[in-house]
Amino acid sequence: ARGWARWKTYVGRLETDEAKGLAMTQLGNGLSAVGNWADALSVREAELSTLRRIGAPLSAILAAQGNLANTYQYLGRLDEALPLRQDVYSGRVRLSGEEHELTLVAANNYASSLVELGHFKEAKALMRKTIPVVRRVLGENHDLILTMRWNYAEALYKDDGATLDDLREAVTTLDGTGQTARRVLGGAHPITKGLEKCLRDA
C-alpha cells in the first residue's frame, strides 16, 4: 500500500526526477514482497525502459535488469531471465571488476539460471572460474560461497552426462558445504536445509 501511495505522489513528475525513480523501485519491491509478480513485472519492465530512455548510469540499469530477471524467474519465465542474468554479470565485470561482491553475486545468479535451464557445461565453467575468487575475496564461510558450491554440485549431478567422478565430486561438495553451513548458519537456515535436501537427491 505504501508503494502505491508513494508512486501516486510522484507519477506526474518528469522521468528524470530521482524521487519518481525511487518510488517506482519501491513499488516494484513492495509488489514482489507480497508475491504479486504479474504487477511487479509491469513495474520492473517500465522501470528498466525508463532508465534506458533517460540514459541512467550503468549501475542503475544493472540493478533494474537484476530485479526484472528475478521477477521473470518467479513467474517461471526462465528463458527470459537468462539473457538478463548474463547482461548483469558481464556489466558488473566491466563496471566493477571480477572481484567486486556485486559481480560475484551476479555470477552466482547467472550460474543458477544456467543450472535451472540445464546448461550445465556453461554453469560448471563459470563456477570453476568464480568459486576461487569468492573464496579469496569473501572467505570460506560467506553465504555466497555456500550457495555457489551448491549450484556447482547441482550442475555436476543433474547433468545426464555426469560421470561417476562427477557424482562423487557433487556428493563431496554437498557434504562439506552442508557441514560448513550447519556450523556457520545453523541447521534451521534455508541454505543448510537446501544443501541437505540436495545431498539426499544426489
Side-chain angles (χ1 to χ4, degrees), residues 23-102:
M24 185 178 279
T25 300
Q26 185 179 19
L27 176 58
N29 291 345
L31 291 167
S32 298
V34 298
N36 190 343
W37 300 110
D39 286 341
L41 178 61
S42 297
V43 174
R44 298 301 194 194
E45 289 175 333
E47 180 183 21
L48 180 57
S49 177
T50 300
L51 290 171
R52 286 176 169 156
R53 196 166 44 251
I54 66 173
L58 179 58
S59 58
I61 290 173
L62 294 174
Q65 285 179 305
N67 288 335
L68 180 56
N70 290 340
T71 306
Y72 280 140
Q73 187 164 345
Y74 279 108
L75 288 168
R77 294 164 63 173
L78 302 177
D79 287 325
E80 292 168 272
L82 183 63
L84 287 168
R85 297 280 193 215
Q86 184 176 22
D87 288 349
V88 172
Y89 171 59
S90 60
R92 288 288 178 200
V93 170
R94 282 194 317 274
L95 185 66
S96 305
E98 293 191 349
E99 296 191 354
H100 193 282
E101 187 169 355
L102 290 176

Side-chain angles (χ1 to χ4, degrees), residues 29-183:
N29 291 345
L31 291 167
S32 298
V34 298
N36 190 343
W37 300 110
D39 286 341
L41 178 61
S42 297
V43 174
R44 298 301 194 194
E45 289 175 333
E47 180 183 21
L48 180 57
S49 177
T50 300
L51 290 171
R52 286 176 169 156
R53 196 166 44 251
I54 66 173
L58 179 58
S59 58
I61 290 173
L62 294 174
Q65 285 179 305
N67 288 335
L68 180 56
N70 290 340
T71 306
Y72 280 140
Q73 187 164 345
Y74 279 108
L75 288 168
R77 294 164 63 173
L78 302 177
D79 287 325
E80 292 168 272
L82 183 63
L84 287 168
R85 297 280 193 215
Q86 184 176 22
D87 288 349
V88 172
Y89 171 59
S90 60
R92 288 288 178 200
V93 170
R94 282 194 317 274
L95 185 66
S96 305
E98 293 191 349
E99 296 191 354
H100 193 282
E101 187 169 355
L102 290 176
T103 304
L104 299 174
V105 169
N108 189 53
N109 290 340
Y110 180 35
S112 178
S113 289
L114 287 167
V115 170
E116 285 189 69
L117 285 167
H119 302 300
F120 301 119
K121 184 177 178 181
E122 298 97 314
K124 287 183 281 191
L126 175 60
M127 287 181 279
R128 284 177 179 141
K129 172 183 157 185
T130 311
I131 285 173
V133 180
V134 176
R135 187 183 309 122
R136 186 176 69 253
V137 173
L138 300 176
E140 290 287 341
N141 298 327
H142 195 279
D143 59 350
L144 185 60
I145 192 76
L146 301 176
T147 56
M148 193 168 279
R149 285 182 174 150
W150 178 2
N151 282 330
Y152 177 64
E154 283 193 308
L156 286 168
Y157 83 80
K158 287 184 174 180
D159 189 343
D160 288 339
T163 65
L164 191 55
D165 285 342
D166 291 333
L167 297 176
R168 283 192 190 110
E169 184 180 0
V171 169
T172 302
T173 300
L174 288 167
D175 186 43
T177 307
Q179 289 178 33
T180 302
R182 180 170 285 280
R183 179 175 46 80

